[in-house]
Amino acid sequence: MPPIDRGFANLPPEFTNFVGRRHELTDVRRLLASSRLVTLTGPGGVGKTRLALRVATNVRRAFGDGVWLVELDRLQDPELLAETVTVALGLREPFEGPPMTVLEHYLASRQLLLVMDNCEHLVDAVAKLVATLLRSCPELRVLATSREPLSTYGEVTLPVPSLPLPDEQLPASPQELFRIEAVALFVDRATAVAPGFALTRDNQAAVAEICRRLDGLPLAIELAAARLRVLRPQEIADRLKDRFRLLDKGPRGAPTRQQTLLSCIEWSYDLCSTQEQLLWTRLAVFAGGFDLDAAESITAGEDLVADVVLEVVASLVDKSIVIREGDAKLARYRLLDTIREFGRVKLQETGEFSALRRRHRDWYAQLVERADTEWVGPRQVDWLTLLDREQPNIRAALEFALSERADARTALRMAATLYSYWIARGPLSEGRRWLDQALACPVEISSDRVRALYACSMLAGHQGDFPVESARADEGGDVARKLGDPSMSALINLANGYLAHWNGDLARGPVLLGAALDVFRADNNLRGLLEALFALSLMSIQHDPKRALACQREMLAITEPRNEVWFRSLALWSLGLTTWLQGEARQAVDLVRGSLRLKRSIGDLLGIAWCLEALAWIAASENDHDPQHAATLLGSAKNLMEAIGTSPSIGQFTLPYHGECERRTRLELGGEAFDAALQDGRDLGLPAALAYALGESVRTTPEPAAIEAILTPREREVAELIAQGSSNKDIARHLVISQRTAEAHVEHILVKFGFTSRAQIAARVVEGNELG
């Protein structure tokens, strides 16, 4: 029997060089201890082989008769599989009988681990051989790598994910960034080809971008690092638009399919059926994830009927081309960027790309319209969540609609319809960019143009850009008059009413808003009615509290029976201010906190910021108040407002309250203590700031130095949310990040502690042994 190491002797040193994967190593060892067949699955280049070899090296002492590697990438004839395994085990011809019989006899009494590498192109033959051997060889265990499961009895599959990626918000230092596995791999390979390379503040952004753009795929990262012989990191990042041409030089000793990124992906493509190839290329039209309804509607045609799309999607999931995401309630799918880019190249070759993009544009335009139709109702939170998930696709649809060959009218309508989403979620600047681009297109006058001008005016006003707000409203008024449409004129009256509110024009504002209200009531336009009632309530709080209360109560009467959230939260905020100015501070706090809870449930960043502001004003006005509490709330509000691009000083209504709150707390605390409290509020982060404002429990125990060295501040926030029972989806919503980024943070924490479950993280947080 050859030495145990002989099976690894022919691999080049760099192929067995290993970075990270502590979590996966633990999982594979655990599964091998309880299962006789473990298959590592995942897309090409994700590192299945390297992981299998490292596991095999680590566990070889547990197998008295060794650990043996069978490389199948160069084997094309399934009839030669048994013979190939026999030769890999060191058995030589002439065999005493058929190779399969020889194998069964030889392995029957041996305690041995067989590593079957790259099974995907021979999956049926490998499944049959492994099933036969496991039945007749009780001490045999098999560790397989394949882009799809073997799907045989007793198999346990472990999907190998891409390496954890850095957040788009970079860590504070290169040292923190280096702890992220994708970056660590890049640096490790970079120093091998460019010994003087080091991760620095100057190049860390480029390195992080490279790792993100390459999906954390180890093969792609290694090929990118190899380019450091001739390019700087930023130059590599800039050239990744044509990644297949850039990443075309792999190590000479590696298998052919791993010499270039293109050959790695082509290997998977060639193993797909005609329908799988067709759907793969068509799914490349999506940006980010997609659901089955969208896939069926957009990709189906005469050559791929909608009824079989689910079956083909499932097959592509099995082949590690499509990644399934979501939970038991909602299945979503996505392609890695590299796999999507390959599909787009193929799709463009077929001439279908433009037609698919038109279908994609129309699907997401209709989605936005449906969300708008149901906005004032019980599905509002669901629609916000769905629009969050579909932002990459919505942006792609807008981009295509704005292109020269497409329909700018659709872009204008989509941008105008998305106003409610942008104002409720907080990306005001992004909304203005899309609206500006759509309004710049030569499109005939229409109600869509008036709606877009109204939306642009309102977003500009919320950011204090009053000249643009006024100009857009004036243009909207001109278009509305040419159309002769009273509902469009009412919309512009609403915009001008807000402008009067910002400017403190208490005579003109109520007149404009009253005229708008009459039209909205007559048209049964609930959204316009609620917008106008809110604006009128704000203008009336100081000088006509009875009218303010009437507006607020009408808003609640409309929204509460419908289980609507956003306008209801506005009504409670406005009612809280009215109550405060009438001397009922305690009741005002309860009302504003009620608004804040609703705004937290929908992720309304702008609304959250204004609730924090209002709570600070109320706190500073009480006789027995804590000035540090008020200053901390001001700091949290300031942090959010800066992120959104707005300020408490943009309107005549809010400026006096903010100014008095700041003046009084600074005077009572002293300048240095006030600035420190303000900074404390800025440093809280969104979840902690919400808990602080709502009087909920907040961890205040300082974290020990050990944990500071292990987890980044964002990872500590994620760990706290895990301990509270939050899912990845909940974490993403609380921290205002993508679900994929949240998943990466969870993975980082598991790896850094060597944990295998979220429960272990939660236990550490609760016990305080590690997380403070």
Side-chain angles (χ1 to χ4, degrees):
M1 191 74 181
I4 292 172
D5 288 341
R6 180 173 294 184
F8 306 117
N10 62 340
L11 296 175
E14 67 272 16
F15 198 64
T16 53
N17 195 10
F18 200 79
V19 173
R21 296 290 197 194
R22 284 184 288 176
H23 177 54
E24 288 84 357
L25 283 169
T26 301
D27 274 354
V28 180
R29 293 187 66 167
R30 175 176 53 81
L31 292 174
L32 273 176
S34 58
S35 306
R36 297 182 61 208
L37 170 59
V38 177
T39 303
L40 307 182
T41 62
V46 81
K48 301 181 295 294
T49 296
R50 188 169 286 132
L51 176 61
L53 294 180
R54 175 49 62 97
V55 170
T57 301
N58 291 351
V59 303
R60 58 188 179 181
R61 289 194 179 94
F63 294 90
D65 293 301
V67 174
W68 296 87
L69 173 66
V70 183
E71 297 178 285
L72 300 175
D73 59 302
R74 292 181 175 86
L75 177 64
Q76 297 301 318
D77 186 353
E79 296 296 324
L80 299 177
L81 178 60
E83 182 178 338
T84 300
V85 177
T86 305
V87 171
L89 286 168
L91 306 177
R92 303 298 178 191
E93 296 185 84
F95 302 130
E96 296 180 1
M100 192 65 198
T101 303
V102 172
L103 273 179
E104 289 185 79
H105 177 73
Y106 180 77
L107 296 172
S109 60
R110 284 180 164 80
Q111 185 189 33
L112 184 145
L113 174 65
L114 201 60
V115 180
M116 305 283 287
D117 189 36
N118 294 298
C119 304
E120 54 270 359
H121 60 303
L122 302 167
V123 66
D124 292 334
V126 173
K128 183 178 178 181
L129 178 141
V130 168
T132 300
L133 291 179
L134 290 176
R135 280 196 301 268
S136 56
C137 310
E139 295 300 317
L140 174 67
R141 291 180 186 260
V142 177
L143 177 60
T145 73
S146 177
R147 300 188 190 190
E148 64 177 301
L150 303 184
S151 298
T152 189
Y153 180 76
E155 178 186 35
V156 176
T157 60
L158 181 69
V160 179
S162 300
L163 293 174
L165 292 169
D167 196 350
E168 292 186 10
Q169 183 178 2
L170 285 175
S173 67
Q175 290 75 20
E176 289 183 69
L177 189 64
F178 181 72
R179 296 193 188 102
I180 299 170
E181 290 187 16
V183 175
L185 178 65
F186 182 91
V187 173
D188 180 83
R189 301 306 188 256
T191 53
V193 300
F197 178 83
L199 189 65
T200 66
R201 291 192 179 276
D202 291 334
N203 65 27
Q204 67 173 13
V207 171
E209 182 183 356
I210 291 167
C211 294
R212 284 194 297 266
R213 293 276 301 279
L214 295 177
D215 307 297
L217 281 175
L219 173 63
I221 290 172
E222 292 179 4
L223 293 172
R227 283 297 185 179
L228 284 172
R229 292 187 178 97
V230 292
L231 297 172
R232 293 179 293 106
Q234 189 58 57
E235 291 174 320
I236 295 173
D238 293 341
R239 291 168 185 257
L240 284 178
K241 293 178 182 178
D242 192 1
R243 66 188 68 192
F244 295 117
R245 178 175 295 179
L246 177 68
L247 308 181
D248 65 348
K249 293 285 189 296
R252 292 189 179 91
T256 303
R257 70 184 189 286
Q258 293 184 335
Q259 290 280 341
T260 71
L261 185 60
L262 180 60
S263 62
C264 177
I265 305 303
E266 282 182 330
W267 170 270
S268 291
Y269 185 78
D270 292 341
L271 292 176
C272 291
S273 68
T274 301
Q275 282 202 323
E276 289 167 347
Q277 290 177 346
L278 182 62
L279 185 57
W280 175 348
T281 60
R282 290 181 178 178
L283 290 176
V285 76
F286 290 101
F290 55 90
D291 59 27
L292 186 61
D293 286 345
E296 289 174 338
S297 298
I298 295 171
T299 66
E302 292 182 4
D303 46 3
L304 184 69
V305 296
D307 290 345
V308 304
V309 169
L310 172 59
E311 179 184 339
V312 183
V313 166
S315 181
L316 290 174
V317 170
D318 286 342
K319 286 181 165 60
S320 303
I321 304 302
V322 172
I323 298 173
R324 186 190 185 282
E325 297 179 320
D327 50 32
K329 296 180 181 177
L330 176 69
R332 281 184 65 80
Y333 307 90
R334 69 178 174 91
L335 301 175
L336 294 178
D337 287 346
T338 300
I339 290 175
R340 179 188 299 108
E341 197 61 37
F342 178 89
R344 287 197 172 192
V345 171
K346 292 288 185 182
L347 189 60
Q348 288 169 333
E349 290 173 358
T350 68
E352 289 188 314
F353 191 52
S354 292
L356 263 292
R357 290 209 71 181
R358 280 192 290 275
R359 285 197 212 171
H360 178 274
R361 175 204 65 199
D362 293 343
W363 171 268
Y364 286 100
Q366 292 167 12
L367 180 77
V368 168
E369 292 284 351
R370 292 202 306 273
D372 187 64
T373 301
E374 298 185 20
W375 185 258
V376 182
R379 294 200 61 209
Q380 188 180 76
V381 175
D382 294 335
W383 276 116
L384 278 165
T385 303
L386 179 59
L387 293 175
D388 280 343
R389 283 198 303 266
E390 298 294 1
Q391 278 305 291
N393 284 307
I394 290 170
R395 290 176 184 130
L398 282 166
E399 286 173 2
F400 183 69
L402 286 166
S403 66
E404 293 180 2
R405 295 171 297 166
D407 183 4
R409 175 76 177 270
T410 301
L412 191 69
R413 186 166 56 252
M414 282 187 71
T417 305
L418 282 164
Y419 163 71
S420 295
Y421 172 80
W422 287 321
I423 202 77
R425 274 292 195 251
L428 309 183
S429 296
E430 179 183 354
R432 290 182 67 185
R433 285 196 300 272
W434 287 118
L435 286 161
D436 286 341
Q437 291 179 63
L439 287 166
C441 295
V443 178
E444 70 277 7
I445 65 170
S446 64
S447 59
D448 288 331
R449 186 165 188 86
V450 178
R451 291 170 59 234
L453 288 164
Y454 163 77
C456 197
S457 174
M458 292 291 289
L459 294 177
H462 278 291
Q463 291 192 311
D465 193 348
F466 299 125
V468 169
E469 180 186 19
S470 180
R472 290 302 195 187
D474 288 345
E475 184 182 351
D478 291 340
V479 177
R481 282 188 291 274
K482 290 176 182 177
L483 290 172
D485 187 340
S487 63
M488 292 299 102
S489 294
L491 204 58
I492 298 305
N493 280 337
L494 176 55
N496 282 320
Y498 265 105
L499 184 61
H501 162 66
W502 297 127
N503 292 331
D505 189 342
L506 300 178
R508 182 169 181 259
V511 175
L512 291 167
L513 294 173
L517 273 171
D518 290 340
V519 176
F520 293 143
R521 287 191 198 281
D523 291 346
N524 196 29
N525 181 342
L526 288 183
R527 184 190 314 229
L529 179 60
L530 289 166
E531 281 266 21
L533 286 169
F534 176 64
L536 190 57
S537 77
L538 289 185
M539 295 201 72
S540 306
I541 285 175
Q542 292 171 308
H543 304 285
D544 193 347
K546 287 185 178 180
R547 183 169 62 185
L549 287 170
C551 291
Q552 294 148 6
R553 287 167 182 160
E554 186 175 357
M555 289 182 72
L556 293 173
I558 294 171
T559 57
E560 286 178 346
R562 291 173 171 81
N563 289 322
E564 192 274 346
V565 176
W566 189 65
F567 281 112
R568 183 155 42 117
S569 70
L570 293 180
L572 289 174
W573 182 80
S574 177
L575 183 57
L577 293 184
T578 305
T579 305
W580 168 53
L581 292 176
Q582 291 181 323
E584 298 291 339
R586 297 295 173 85
Q587 185 181 351
V589 168
D590 290 340
L591 288 165
V592 176
R593 282 180 170 178
S595 174
L596 183 56
R597 290 186 183 93
L598 290 177
K599 291 183 179 299
R600 176 169 63 178
S601 73
I602 59 174
D604 178 3
L605 298 184
L606 181 62
I608 289 170
W610 282 109
C611 283
L612 296 174
E613 268 284 327
L615 289 170
W617 303 341
I618 298 168
S621 69
E622 294 189 77
N623 292 328
D624 58 347
H625 74 285
D626 177 0
Q628 186 166 351
H629 176 68
T632 302
L633 288 170
L634 284 178
S636 295
K638 182 179 179 65
N639 196 46
L640 259 183
M641 288 185 175
E642 287 178 354
I644 296 166
T646 187
S647 164
S649 63
I650 62 175
Q652 295 299 315
F653 167 70
T654 59
L655 185 57
Y657 303 128
H658 175 83
E660 176 60 20
C661 176
E662 183 172 325
R663 184 197 65 77
R664 186 170 180 180
T665 51
R666 182 183 291 276
L667 182 65
E668 293 175 340
L669 288 171
E672 187 174 337
F674 173 82
D675 290 340
L678 203 70
Q679 189 60 46
D680 286 344
R682 293 175 67 93
D683 292 342
L684 276 177
L686 183 58
L690 285 163
Y692 182 80
L694 292 169
E696 298 172 350
S697 60
V698 181
R699 180 177 297 275
T700 57
T701 305
E703 293 166 344
I707 199 61
E708 291 282 355
I710 296 173
L711 298 184
T712 66
R714 177 51 61 86
E715 287 167 356
R716 294 197 296 275
E717 285 182 318
V718 171
E720 291 280 355
L721 289 168
I722 289 172
Q724 296 169 21
S726 298
S727 65
N728 289 340
K729 182 178 178 181
D730 294 331
I731 293 170
R733 185 173 65 251
H734 280 300
L735 298 180
V736 199
I737 58 178
S738 71
Q739 186 169 334
R740 189 176 175 188
T741 300
E743 291 166 354
H745 284 310
V746 174
E747 186 62 29
H748 297 169
I749 297 168
L750 290 167
V751 169
K752 288 179 177 182
F753 283 115
F755 291 163
T756 59
S757 73
R758 300 164 71 93
Q760 290 173 289
I761 298 174
R764 285 293 176 90
V765 174
V766 172
E767 293 168 3
N769 293 335
E770 293 286 351
L771 300 182

